[in-house]
Amino acid sequence: MSKNTVLKEETNKIDFESFKNEVIADYELACVSREASLLGRREVLTGKAKFGIFGDGKEVAQIALAKQFKDGDFRSGYYRDQTIMMAIDQLNVQQYFAALYAETDESLEPASGGRQMGGHYATRNIDENGEWKNLMEQKNSSADISPTAGQMARLLGLAQASKVYRNHADLKNIEKFNSFSNGGNEVAFGTIGDASTSEGQFWEAMNAAGVLQVPMVMSVWDDGFGISVSKKFQTIKESISEALSGFQRTEDKPGFEIFKTKGWDYPHLCATYEKAVKIAREQHIPVLVHVEEVNQPQGHSTSGSHERYKDEARLQWEKDFDAVAKFKEFILGFKGENGETLATEEELDAIGKSAKKTVLDQKKAAWADFRKGTGADFDAAIQLMKNVASESSNGNFISKEIETLEKAFEPIRKDVFNTLNKVLRLVRGENGSARTQLISWYKGKLEENRARYGSHLHSASKYAVENIEGIAPTYGDDKKMDDGRMILRDNFMKLFENHPEVITFGEDTGKIGGVNQSMEGMQDKFGEVRVSDTGIRENTILGSGIGMAMRGLRPIAEIQYLDYLLYAIQVISDDLATLQYRTKGGQKAPVIIRTRGHRLEGIWHSGSPMGMIINAARGIHVCVPRNMTQAAGMYNLLIEADEPALVIEPLNGYRVKEAVPTNLGEYRIQLGKVDIVKEGTDLTMVSYGSTFNIAAEAVKELEKAGVSVELIDVQTLLPFDLDHAISKSLEKTSRLMIVDEDVTSGASAYILDQILVKQKAYYLLDSEPVTVSANDHRPAYGTDGDYFSKPNIDDIYAAAYNLMHEADPKEFPSFLD
């Protein structure tokens, strides 16, 4: 069947005039998008923007995809998808250039408010109060990240959410969830460059999508290169569709549907995406669309030229098979059954000229808006500095600095602040009123810019963790005791009963209820949709949580052990932790990551990389409970909040007896509040998690020697001691000891900074602070290996006692000398 035959059949379904208008509108958009790429590159090369990475060459394929994009659908793509975003009316040319200039007003640059470079797209899915918008009334794009294939894990979750909504009967009857799904009929559109399919995240996500059978349409834009590296060095058989041919579904085995098409072939692209998306939407089958022969007219980015690595033949092919040029060729060559034509060459040339003017005009408007913001500050600063110069003995030097700034070509805020600081240094020690006014203005603008560039690391809504009040656990007169795992399980039961949107999944989570049976019987009671097993694939377990949380579900994504979190640290750090920040409050994903750890046995089962986690995961709350009662209370609070968190359950606490609260599912442990477990006067000892319990045993022994220890459980590392209770303790004890099973200078360095610098407790100390941490090697296997690798009761006792010996050798004589 010829291409024209395909379109003739389509035109029989609609009147020719409507068909013609649609094709011409598509061509107009292709031209506009192309001109935006071309002019965008020039803006970078002339210095108005820092860097550019554009979607030229992919316009026609993305227009064909966008035809099938419906309200409620989601995109999880990469940084060349500008034409998709324009085609679904979620990006205009002015916004495109605003992003290129790093415009900080989110009303002008809604994707990130200037926090991400151009090419990184997002829709605003929550309003200014942090409340969810109706996602079924808009076409949605999850916020892009730069790491190649980093979008894949989240994509899986966005698609999996449709499966949950289709099969979760209870949610269909709750009105608020109608704003997240229409019975699970939404498709998640993934996009990626061909070379990035070499990343492991791509393969993990594709395998998981095939196993789960979720409505995902995965488009691979194949231009033959990964920056300068040919795909013969990237992909087996030089074809991702051939490499994935084993994923093709058959009559008796599920899998993917796989399509191949060409990036310059408009009619075939339209027909292919119509088929592909229909299958995904109606049958909940994942689909791969391999878009080959995509050209890239300007090369990879503004950081280099593709003439360096493409030969003459390839460069000529780029011109001959340019997507927009071939689209024009198709239009001119089209003949309907009755001899109808779509447009003349003169008409198409006019469209091209109009696109140039449109893009240029909107570029100018974006630049004018960008200059307004800096211009007001510039004018105010100049006048304030001139006032200072008029009353300062250094007026001549100040005037020279002002003159240099005034002559600068289109100065930005950095230039203004550089000059301000030079002037303030020149007038240090002076007391003029103009200087006072300048300092006041300067400090106010510093705060304003800290917010402009640094807000929304965490939620700013009423559901922020800090706004959720704690509720103490209550206990009956019988003081019933039970295993910690049973307290956790029964608390989860209550949460699942009260919150139908809560789901959980992980390795061994479903059928057996977890390796420690803390979800025993949960799958039987709540079903496989809500409590399910996964494959061994930590990265996409986390990604599933992110994607589903972005669509209104409340996932608890389980990573079996703390050490295995390393498989997912990239998606935690690059995607989840930055989401609210990089969208300037436009998106959120309140997924709870559940794991267990601290002390098992062996190099790869007993790690405690807390320093790595707390530094890589700023933007996520990190909870380190010492027992299961605490852990359950943290889960209860987090379900009421709208922020992501990591909860590390103490691995050796599941079989330890604890008093059973009578208000399971209701009590809440506030984050950022320490727990003073024992009061004392000689020494403040700070710890967390499993190691805290060892410290508690050491404190009992220290008491026998007359050492009075104030023992503090920090409970959470992010946030940390918001009330500064530790510095208040040091006002009494004047001595600080930190017990941490991370490596030396791991989490303990962070804790010291929080206490001594942030809480300004350094001047309260009468002795140097002491840290007891694990050795820098991984823990050796066995009980003895643990004893000699990590802090033990004897290490803790010796360090604390030695601190007291140094303070009062007579009262506390050494037992080691």
Side-chain angles (χ1 to χ4, degrees):
M1 183 181 293
S2 72
K3 299 166 195 169
N4 276 0
T5 303
V6 172
L7 280 195
K8 284 174 183 175
E9 290 181 355
E10 288 296 312
T11 57
N12 289 334
K13 301 175 186 176
I14 59 175
D15 66 274
F16 180 78
E17 198 61 30
S18 297
F19 166 72
K20 173 182 174 179
N21 291 339
E22 182 176 339
V23 174
I24 296 306
D26 289 346
Y27 182 74
E28 288 175 344
L29 177 57
C31 290
V32 166
S33 184
R34 174 62 60 85
E35 290 300 327
S37 294
L38 297 175
L39 186 53
R41 183 180 180 87
R42 289 199 290 274
E43 291 298 278
V44 174
L45 298 180
T46 57
K48 285 186 177 179
K50 294 286 286 186
F51 181 77
I53 193 158
F54 309 108
D56 46 309
K58 297 160 184 67
E59 297 92 348
V60 178
Q62 293 186 9
I63 288 169
L65 179 154
K67 288 177 180 295
Q68 309 304 322
F69 207 119
K70 295 184 177 181
D71 286 351
D73 288 348
F74 260 89
R75 167 191 165 273
S76 181
Y78 89 136
Y79 40 72
R80 299 195 190 277
D81 287 352
Q82 69 199 47
T83 313
I84 294 176
M85 296 300 292
M86 291 176 177
I88 63 174
D89 293 323
Q90 294 297 333
L91 176 72
N92 62 43
V93 175
Q94 189 167 336
Q95 291 168 341
Y96 172 87
F97 281 99
L100 200 64
Y101 301 140
E103 169 63 62
T104 58
D105 184 341
E106 60 269 30
S107 69
L108 301 173
E109 200 283 272
S112 75
R115 293 178 179 182
Q116 294 219 86
M117 69 176 69
H120 293 69
Y121 305 111
T123 50
R124 301 199 75 77
N125 293 355
I126 55 179
D127 64 22
E128 61 276 7
N129 297 316
E131 300 282 359
W132 288 107
K133 294 182 177 181
N134 188 334
L135 303 186
M136 296 305 298
E137 294 179 349
Q138 65 181 43
K139 297 175 176 67
N140 304 287
S141 174
S142 60
D144 294 339
I145 57 176
S146 290
T148 55
Q151 71 272 32
M152 293 300 302
R154 177 198 338 130
L155 170 65
L156 178 69
L158 292 169
Q160 192 175 352
S162 289
K163 183 174 183 177
V164 171
Y165 281 119
R166 179 170 285 192
N167 295 289
H168 192 331
D170 293 341
L171 294 185
K172 294 177 181 179
N173 300 319
I174 301 174
E175 184 177 355
K176 72 175 183 179
F177 292 104
N178 292 335
S179 64
F180 295 108
S181 180
N182 177 25
N185 292 319
E186 302 77 36
V187 170
F189 290 88
T191 67
I192 196 169
D194 179 65
S196 295
T197 64
S198 299
E199 294 279 9
Q201 291 187 34
F202 174 82
W203 291 87
E204 183 176 319
M206 294 294 280
N207 177 63
V211 170
L212 292 168
Q213 292 290 279
V214 292
M216 180 176 99
V217 175
M218 185 71 230
S219 296
V220 178
W221 314 132
D222 186 353
D223 60 24
F225 291 86
I227 306 184
S228 67
V229 180
S230 169
K231 67 179 180 182
K232 70 181 180 181
F233 300 114
Q234 306 272 4
T235 308
I236 186 70
K237 299 183 180 181
E238 298 186 44
S239 169
I240 192 60
S241 55
E242 290 186 37
L244 288 171
S245 59
F247 282 39
Q248 174 67 53
R249 62 174 176 162
T250 62
E251 289 186 3
D252 58 337
K253 290 185 178 180
F256 271 70
E257 194 62 56
I258 299 175
F259 293 91
K260 292 174 71 172
T261 184
K262 299 186 189 301
W264 49 265
D265 192 339
Y266 174 77
H268 195 267
L269 282 162
C270 292
T272 298
Y273 274 108
E274 184 176 6
K275 294 175 188 175
V277 178
K278 181 178 175 64
I279 290 170
R281 195 180 303 280
E282 295 179 359
Q283 301 179 42
H284 268 210
I285 300 296
V287 179
L288 171 70
V289 181
H290 183 191
V291 184
E292 298 180 294
E293 297 188 18
V294 174
N295 76 312
Q296 194 155 281
Q298 301 184 108
H300 176 265
S301 68
T302 55
S303 63
S305 170
H306 61 162
E307 283 84 358
R308 292 182 300 167
Y309 55 86
K310 291 177 182 175
D311 60 26
E312 290 299 323
R314 173 67 194 205
L315 290 170
Q316 186 59 48
W317 182 91
E318 296 277 355
K319 297 176 181 178
D320 294 341
F321 284 83
D322 180 86
V324 178
K326 294 291 281 186
F327 193 4
K328 181 178 181 181
E329 183 182 305
F330 161 76
I331 293 173
L332 293 175
F334 181 85
K335 288 288 188 291
E337 289 184 348
N338 299 314
E340 303 97 334
T341 60
L342 295 171
T344 65
E345 187 162 7
E346 290 75 14
E347 290 170 330
L348 296 184
D349 288 343
I351 288 172
K353 290 178 181 178
S354 175
K356 285 179 183 291
K357 185 177 186 307
T358 296
V359 170
L360 182 61
D361 289 346
Q362 294 199 42
K363 186 273 295 187
K364 289 178 178 178
W367 182 250
D369 283 337
F370 177 73
R371 293 301 304 162
K372 282 179 190 175
T374 56
D377 286 352
F378 176 85
D379 293 340
I382 290 290
Q383 186 58 55
L384 287 167
M385 288 187 289
K386 286 181 177 179
N387 294 343
V388 171
S390 68
E391 67 177 25
S392 172
S393 59
N394 288 305
N396 289 336
F397 296 105
I398 295 170
S399 295
K400 288 180 181 179
E401 295 295 344
I402 295 171
E403 183 180 353
T404 299
L405 180 60
E406 287 180 316
K407 288 181 178 178
F409 177 70
E410 295 179 328
I412 58 176
R413 289 187 174 94
K414 172 184 174 292
D415 300 317
V416 173
F417 274 76
N418 283 160
T419 303
L420 276 171
N421 276 279
K422 290 177 182 177
V423 170
L424 289 171
R425 290 194 288 267
L426 284 168
V427 296
R428 63 189 185 277
E430 297 183 7
N431 296 311
S433 60
R435 175 180 176 270
T436 301
Q437 291 175 359
L438 179 61
I439 290 172
S440 176
W441 186 88
Y442 173 76
K443 289 181 177 179
K445 287 297 175 179
L446 271 181
E447 289 303 311
E448 183 181 306
N449 282 293
R450 286 192 181 105
R452 177 177 282 119
Y453 296 103
S455 68
H456 292 92
L457 180 62
H458 295 288
S459 171
S461 78
K462 66 181 181 182
Y463 308 107
V465 158
E466 62 185 21
N467 295 330
I468 309 298
E469 294 185 3
I471 299 174
T474 57
Y475 298 92
D477 294 335
D478 59 353
K479 294 184 178 179
K480 178 184 175 183
M481 304 291 288
D482 208 342
D483 287 349
R485 74 175 185 91
M486 298 304 294
I487 292 172
L488 203 54
R489 187 204 66 173
D490 292 348
N491 192 80
F492 279 134
M493 288 279 188
K494 293 288 187 181
L495 285 181
F496 272 64
E497 288 169 359
N498 297 333
H499 301 274
E501 70 272 29
V502 176
I503 59 176
T504 189
F505 45 89
E507 298 160 15
D508 301 309
T509 301
K511 187 173 183 179
I512 68 171
V515 291
N516 299 99
Q517 282 76 59
S518 52
M519 283 203 169
E520 183 181 22
M522 293 277 290
Q523 190 179 78
D524 291 338
K525 182 170 183 178
F526 298 104
E528 291 186 31
V529 172
R530 297 186 67 190
V531 183
S532 59
D533 288 312
T534 70
I536 299 176
R537 48 176 181 83
E538 286 80 10
N539 186 277
T540 44
I541 289 172
L542 251 297
S544 288
I546 296 170
M548 287 194 273
M550 294 181 83
R551 293 192 57 193
L553 298 170
R554 291 307 309 270
I556 300 174
E558 182 179 342
I559 302 297
Q560 198 164 78
Y561 294 111
L562 181 59
D563 300 76
Y564 303 168
L565 201 70
L566 271 69
Y567 285 96
I569 197 69
Q570 185 272 328
V571 73
I572 291 173
S573 181
D574 286 334
D575 196 353
L576 181 60
T578 68
L579 180 61
Q580 289 228 33
Y581 169 78
R582 74 178 189 269
T583 59
K584 205 171 184 180
Q587 295 187 0
K588 60 182 176 181
V591 59
I592 299 172
I593 307 164
R594 179 186 177 219
T595 190
R596 56 195 59 82
H598 297 307
R599 304 188 82 115
L600 190 54
E601 291 187 348
I603 291 176
W604 289 287
H605 291 83
S606 55
S608 184
M610 300 309 302
M612 177 196 71
I613 290 167
I614 59 181
N615 285 295
R618 300 297 171 95
I620 296 175
H621 298 298
V622 177
C623 306
V624 283
R626 69 179 182 271
N627 58 40
M628 300 308 164
T629 301
Q630 275 189 318
M634 291 172 180
Y635 288 122
N636 294 342
L637 181 134
L638 289 167
I639 287 297
E640 300 297 325
D642 68 350
E643 299 187 71
L646 168 66
V647 181
I648 304 169
E649 298 165 11
L651 186 57
N652 52 12
Y654 293 104
R655 305 290 174 178
V656 174
K657 299 294 183 183
E658 299 181 36
V660 180
T662 57
N663 57 342
L664 289 172
E666 298 174 4
Y667 73 92
R668 305 171 190 156
I669 302 296
Q670 277 192 293
L671 308 192
K673 307 286 185 180
V674 306
D675 186 8
I676 301 176
V677 176
K678 177 188 171 298
E679 294 188 354
T681 56
D682 293 331
L683 167 68
T684 298
M685 187 180 294
V686 176
S687 191
Y688 62 89
S690 293
T691 300
F692 177 90
N693 298 316
I694 297 172
E697 293 302 312
V699 167
K700 292 177 184 177
E701 294 298 311
L702 286 163
E703 277 189 318
K704 296 175 184 178
V707 180
S708 175
V709 177
E710 183 131 300
L711 183 60
I712 298 179
D713 177 10
V714 302
Q715 300 195 103
T716 63
L717 290 167
L718 294 175
F720 184 89
D721 188 14
L722 298 176
D723 296 332
H724 293 190
I726 296 174
S727 61
K728 292 172 185 173
S729 172
L730 289 171
E731 290 177 2
K732 176 173 51 175
T733 68
S734 300
R735 295 180 183 86
L736 173 65
M737 179 172 163
I738 296 168
V739 183
D740 172 28
E741 67 171 48
D742 197 357
V743 296
T744 56
S745 301
S748 56
Y750 163 80
I751 294 171
L752 279 171
D753 177 69
Q754 291 289 314
I755 297 170
L756 301 185
V757 180
K758 299 291 176 57
Q759 298 187 18
K760 301 185 183 303
Y762 59 91
Y763 63 87
L764 299 172
L765 299 182
D766 290 339
S767 303
E768 66 178 82
V770 172
T771 60
V772 179
S773 56
N775 295 337
D776 289 342
H777 57 73
R778 294 289 184 96
Y781 174 65
T783 301
D784 285 345
D786 176 81
Y787 179 87
F788 290 105
S789 299
K790 289 199 170 188
N792 57 62
I793 186 172
D794 300 319
D795 291 337
I796 297 168
Y797 182 99
Y801 188 88
N802 187 57
L803 187 60
M804 298 307 301
H805 165 70
E806 291 176 357
D808 191 345
K810 184 176 180 180
E811 180 71 19
F812 302 102
S814 174
F815 69 93
L816 290 175
D817 295 331

